Amino acid sequence: MDNLLIIYLLQTVLTSILFGLILTIQVVHYPSFKFVSMENFFDFHQFHKTSISVIVIPAMLLEVIIAGFLSLYVKSPLDHLNFFIVVMIWLSTFFISVPLHNQLTLEKTDILINRLVITNWIRTLLWKAKFILSLLLLYSKINV
């Protein structure tokens, strides 16, 4: 197995993990924020942010490095699209999700939780698209 194929395989595994994680957060975890009592919410939310960061930050960093490398090294339109999707995920994370989480550290409201759930569909759908694209890219490298 050549090195490039290993990188595509790693990207596909990493993307599938991140897609599964964001899907679980989207469908189960974020909606459950409403069921946490006001008394426990701020400790719960801090625990969520700290715990999820341990998983997500290294995975997202590795994902952007791999996608950037493939975009620069392979230079195919699909690899450029793959990198663009990662950039869009990062922009959505840091300009939409992180500010909402910061607001939730100050106050718990159904409006903020609903906004977090609704806007998180952006990242969920982007990771779904990246997962499908990663599979296609891997498949195309296996069948060369």
Side-chain angles (χ1 to χ4, degrees):
M1 188 178 299
D2 72 15
N3 291 339
L4 200 53
L5 182 57
I6 292 169
I7 293 170
Y8 280 103
L9 180 60
L10 177 60
Q11 171 180 249
T12 304
V13 169
L14 187 60
T15 300
S16 66
I17 290 167
L18 285 165
F19 175 53
L21 182 63
I22 197 71
L23 194 58
T24 302
I25 287 172
Q26 178 62 32
V27 175
V28 178
H29 194 65
Y30 281 172
S32 73
F33 281 21
K34 290 182 182 181
F35 300 104
V36 178
S37 70
M38 190 66 79
E39 178 183 355
N40 294 324
F41 183 77
F42 298 105
D43 288 336
F44 165 80
H45 188 254
Q46 186 59 45
F47 173 79
H48 161 78
K49 286 188 346 175
T50 303
S51 300
I52 203 72
S53 295
V54 171
I55 299 168
V56 172
I57 290 172
M60 285 181 69
L61 284 171
L62 187 55
E63 181 181 51
V64 75
I65 290 167
I66 291 171
F69 169 79
L70 291 172
S71 181
L72 290 172
Y73 181 76
V74 179
K75 299 179 182 174
S76 78
L78 289 180
D79 285 298
H80 293 319
L81 176 60
N82 183 58
F83 182 65
F84 175 77
I85 292 171
V86 173
V87 169
M88 296 307 295
I89 291 168
W90 276 65
L91 290 173
S92 176
T93 298
F94 292 103
F95 288 107
I96 299 172
S97 298
V98 169
L100 285 169
H101 277 289
N102 289 341
Q103 287 182 295
L104 283 167
T105 62
L106 303 173
E107 65 174 328
K108 176 195 179 192
T109 67
D110 284 348
I111 292 171
L112 286 174
I113 294 169
N114 289 340
R115 193 173 298 152
L116 183 64
V117 171
I118 290 167
T119 59
N120 196 59
W121 278 112
I122 297 167
R123 295 188 307 162
T124 304
L125 294 173
L126 285 168
W127 258 309
K128 179 180 181 178
K130 187 172 184 314
F131 172 66
I132 293 166
L133 183 56
S134 295
L135 289 173
L136 290 171
L137 286 166
L138 179 61
Y139 181 77
S140 71
K141 299 308 171 194
I142 290 172
N143 289 315
V144 169

